[in-house]
Structure formats: structure tokens, C-alpha cells
Amino acid sequence: MSRRSVSRDHFRGLFALYAFAAEHSENHDGAARLLHLFISSQSISNDLLDYWADRADAIGSETLGQEQGLRAYAVADGNSHYDHASAFLHALLKSLDQRPH
């Protein structure tokens, strides 16, 4: 079995990175929203993370990073709200599935 290019820790780490960036820019509310997603990402199902990893492998890290970054910044700015990291991931995957191949 080949090693995944992304993992649960990678996905969680991105929320931590975005939260740090928001805190550094003194967007404390945005950092709190992203930290909430970071904490909730610990309980995302392995099946959903495996699907995310498959999509990441298929579309490439640059495209994935752009889309995920846009969504994370929207959360930090208060323009998008997710109760759980899995809802964020579902929305991300849906938008990736709608991209032209």
C-alpha cells in the first residue's frame, strides 16, 4: 500500500497554521473559530479523511491548498461558519468535485 500524501495530522495542522496566522494578524475571533475547527478535526472519520487524501492526490497540492486556504480565510473573516471540521471538509470536497477536471 502506498503512503498517503496527506493525513489526519496534515489536515489538523493546516487549521493550526491558519489559526496562528489569524492570531498573528490580531484577528482573535477568526483564530478562535479556526481553533474550534482544529479541535473538532480530531474526530473526523477515517473514511472521510481517506477520501480527502485521494482527492488531494488526484488534483495536486497547489489546487487543494488554494481552495482550502480560501475557505479557511473565509472562516477567519467570519464569512463562513462550520460547526465541525467535518462540515468544512465536506464543503471543501464538494467544491473540489465541482471543479473542471
Side-chain angles (χ1 to χ4, degrees):
M1 178 189 259
S2 65
R3 185 171 180 201
R4 297 260 185 226
S5 64
V6 293
S7 68
R8 178 183 303 273
D9 290 336
H10 291 128
F11 185 73
R12 294 186 78 223
L14 289 171
F15 281 125
L17 178 65
Y18 291 128
F20 174 78
E23 185 67 28
H24 183 70
S25 65
E26 298 185 9
N27 181 351
H28 304 293
D29 291 338
R33 285 188 289 273
L34 290 163
L35 284 174
H36 170 75
L37 293 177
F38 170 74
I39 292 166
S40 69
S41 67
Q42 192 167 0
S43 62
I44 294 176
S45 75
N46 287 332
D47 290 341
L48 184 56
L49 285 171
D50 286 344
Y51 183 64
W52 178 68
D54 290 342
R55 291 296 294 139
D57 286 342
I59 65 168
S61 60
E62 186 174 327
T63 301
L64 177 69
Q66 290 171 349
E67 187 67 30
Q68 188 167 4
L70 290 173
R71 290 185 174 281
Y73 289 123
V75 170
D77 292 341
N79 297 325
S80 293
H81 302 280
Y82 301 97
D83 292 335
H84 194 277
S86 61
F88 176 96
L89 187 50
H90 278 289
L92 175 63
L93 289 168
K94 183 177 180 180
S95 70
L96 291 173
D97 286 341
Q98 293 174 351
R99 282 182 159 287
H101 300 291

